[in-house]
């Protein structure tokens, strides 16, 4: 393998009184690494200590600034090389409130200012790191913040949300639209009196809010927040600092940190856990990134030609298998848990990371709190430069205990394939997707009545446990559900699409996998048909809260499904053997119908025998039920798990078009 920036010419460097000849390294794994933990900046009122890992540097300078941008350094210091590739400097006096950068010289060339790879506080746009005392950023009551109880991963219901989508609508009644603080505002109402913001989340009943990238990313100019700017944020700049555009003041390094913590605390008080979307698989830029300005070449994989590997499709892919990148990822997630009380992580393009690293992350999180949930995209945008059998791809999830992956198979079996927005599947009335629906309802685990080979794109039963399987029909990527139904059934009436919307959510929320809802789908939000809305304006991406009143019946239906799932553990058995034991698919007479029974629910549940029938046909279908009196829970687009919708006798029963029938006895 040809490696860039590897051979370092022997240089004589003064370390104390000794003369040390610098090494040249033949491979990245020969780079010296620090033993144990260290921090790039440790503040104390008496003195601040700096330590940068830069094993290939000839020289490293530390620049101190009065401001987060502009102006010349107030001081420039030469750092001294120490063991393990670390360069150190200690600055006497109280530096609180100052900013700093490093500049690293490699092969005789200065690489340019960087806040380092481990900045924990930054100025505007994240170009300079800041010296602060993190204790000063704790909001009042932070020491009493606790994670809401979670007994099992099976109990999780995820709500995937972008800050700006969720609260920027002027009719949301939210003061801090598009900010972390939006999620701290209780009592907000839409213009038509519907609950919005955190009250909406409580009303919906989700257990986890998954926030789209909220670490410091590049694409939004934090100095121009007077003009609307939008980006999903999959363009990382500083992995260990909150994004400035979501703070009320991106210039003051403490504000973004404090407000992120306020958000977490408010959600915890509402009984909701917080999942961070993390994007360690690539950086926004390669040349000029903090990684490249510190240890050139090391943090990224190279292709056989010596160029940058690019399985992210974004210009580079990181090298988790290298010791210091692996340690970086492990320490970074631990930091978000310990400093910010984050409760879970969603790994973007997790298939780029190696299995050993993901196992190390799971282990490190288990040592803190095993209820922290980890899931990711079990794929990459291209072929990573690492052996396929050693990557955290979906096919290897059965070798990655305690980590879940998204099921694109269940998603596509419901709504249609990725890359062809106009093509539908089960929901659109196309035949042949029943096996994929059954695969998803069983949470991806091996089941005697599921033919994985017949299911769309299913390589195998890849989940060992149903809690390793994320069940969803839409997310921020691609069209949202309302748009997809419109695209695949352009002639369908609004009433038909509404019915199918409910049917889709029924499949997701009665799956043994972990259900995942894209924010706004519960009120039938749309994105004007835009598939990749990563930088579309608010007019495309914002949830228009007037929809909650307009589509209240859909919202109530989704609330009803969540309420049913939360109160009846048969829908979330959480164990593959229990799924095989309790979940039985029932014979059906026609295509586009899937029916199942859940028997022998956990003790204490009054629903010991449940039947769910999903009918995507445009006409009613008949199904044979065992004799007896069945309590109806959902029928013809209505649901009431608490009081029920009356009773019906067994024998042959009719299930209305494009609807679910849920019964128990
Ligand atoms: Ca930023």
């Amino acid at each position: 393998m040809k490696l860039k920036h590897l051979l370092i010419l022997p240089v004589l460097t003064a370390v104390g009184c000794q003369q040390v000849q610098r090494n040249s390294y033949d491979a990245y794994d020969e780079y010296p690494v620090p033993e144990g933990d260290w921090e790039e900046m440790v503040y104390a009122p008496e003195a601040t200590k700096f330590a940068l890992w830069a094993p290939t540097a000839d020289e490293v300078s530390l620049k101190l600034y009065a401001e987060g941008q502009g102006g010349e350094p107030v001081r420039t210091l030469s750092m001294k090389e120490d063991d393990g590739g670390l360069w150190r400097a200690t600055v006497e006096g109280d530096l609180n409130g100052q900013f700093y950068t490093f500049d690293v010289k490699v092969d005789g060339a200065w690489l340019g200012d960087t806040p380092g790879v481990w900045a924990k506080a930054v100025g505007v746009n994240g170009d300079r790191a800041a010296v602060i005392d993190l204790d000063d950023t704790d909001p009042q009551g932070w020491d009493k913040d606790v994670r809401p109880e979670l007994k099992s991963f099976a109990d999780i219901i995820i709500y995937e949300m972008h800050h700006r989508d969720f609260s920027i609508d002027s009719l949301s009644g939210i003061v801090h639209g598009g900010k972390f603080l939006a999620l701290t505002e209780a009592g907000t109402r839409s213009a038509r009196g519907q609950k919005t913001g955190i009250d909406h989340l409580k009303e919906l009943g989700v257990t986890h809010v998954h926030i789209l990238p909220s670490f410091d990313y590049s694409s939004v100019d934090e100095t121009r927040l007077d003009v609307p700017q939008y980006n999903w944020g999959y363009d990382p700049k500083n992995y260990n600092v909150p994004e400035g555009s979501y703070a009320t003041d991106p210039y003051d390094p403490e504000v973004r940190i404090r407000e992120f913590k306020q958000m977490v605390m408010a959600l915890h008080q509402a009984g909701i856990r917080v999942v961070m979307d993390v994007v360690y698989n690539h950086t926004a830029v390669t040349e000029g990134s903090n990684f490249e300005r510190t240890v050139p070449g090391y943090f990224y994989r190279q292709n056989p030609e010596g160029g940058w590997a690019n399985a992210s499709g974004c210009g580079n892919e990181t090298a988790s298998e290298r010791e210091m990148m692996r340690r970086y990822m492990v320490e970074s997630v631990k930091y978000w848990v310990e400093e910010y009380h984050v409760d879970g992580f969603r790994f973007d393009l997790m298939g780029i990371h190696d299995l050993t690293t993901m196992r190390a992350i799971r282990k490190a999180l288990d040592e803190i709190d095993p209820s922290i949930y980890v899931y990711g995209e079990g794929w990459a945008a291209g072929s990573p430069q690492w052996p396929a059998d050693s990557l955290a791809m979906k096919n290897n999830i059965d070798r990655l205990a305690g980590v879940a992956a998204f099921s694109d198979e269940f998603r596509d079996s419901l709504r249609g394939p990725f890359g062809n927005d106009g093509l539908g599947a089960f929901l659109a009335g196309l035949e042949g997707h029943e096996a994929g629906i059954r695969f998803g309802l069983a949470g991806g685990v091996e089941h005697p009545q599921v033919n994985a080979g017949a299911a769309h794109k299913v390589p195998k039963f890849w989940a060992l446990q149903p809690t390793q399987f994320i069940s969803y029909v839409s997310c921020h990527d691609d069209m949202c559900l309302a748009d997809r139904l419109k695209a695949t059934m352009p002639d369908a009436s609004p009433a038909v699409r509404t019915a199918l919307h409910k049917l889709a959510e029924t499949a997701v929320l009665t799956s043994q996998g972990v259900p995942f809802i894209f924010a706004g789908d519960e009120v039938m939000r749309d994105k004007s048909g835009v598939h990749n809305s990563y930088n579309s304006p608010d007019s495309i991406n914002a949830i228009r809260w007037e929809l909650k009143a307009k589509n209240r019946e859909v919202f109530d239906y989704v609330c009803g499904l969540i309420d049913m799932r939360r109160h009846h553990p048969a829908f979330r058995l959480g164990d593959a053997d229990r799924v095989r034991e309790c979940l039985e698919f029932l014979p059906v007479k026609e295509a586009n119908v899937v029916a199942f029974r859940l028997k022998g629910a956990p003790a204490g549940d009054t629903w010991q025998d449940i039947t769910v029938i999903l009918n995507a046909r445009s006409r009613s279908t008949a199904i044979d039920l065992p004799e007896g009196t069945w309590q109806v829970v959902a029928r013809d687009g209505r649901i009431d798990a608490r009081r029920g919708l009356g009773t019906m006798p067994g024998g042959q029963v009719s299930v209305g078009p494009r609807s679910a029938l849920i019964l128990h006895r």
Side-chain angles (χ1 to χ4, degrees), residues 111 149 253 270 424 492 542 661:
L111 301 177
E149 188 182 32
L661 178 64

Side-chain angles (χ1 to χ4, degrees), residues 125 216-218 220 222 243-244:
N125 278 334
D216 180 37
Y217 61 79
S218 283
V220 168
E222 299 173 9
E243 162 61 13

Side-chain angles (χ1 to χ4, degrees), residues 228-243:
Q229 299 176 70
Y230 186 95
N231 208 285
W232 283 341
Y234 293 94
D235 51 313
K237 188 163 180 178
N238 292 292
Y239 284 105
N240 302 298
V241 190
E243 162 61 13

Side-chain angles (χ1 to χ4, degrees), residues 586-589 593 595 613 621-625 651-655 661:
L586 301 173
V588 295
K589 299 182 173 77
V593 181
I613 304 131
T621 191
I623 190 158
D624 293 322
L625 284 185
Q652 190 173 83
V653 300
S654 173
V655 185
L661 178 64

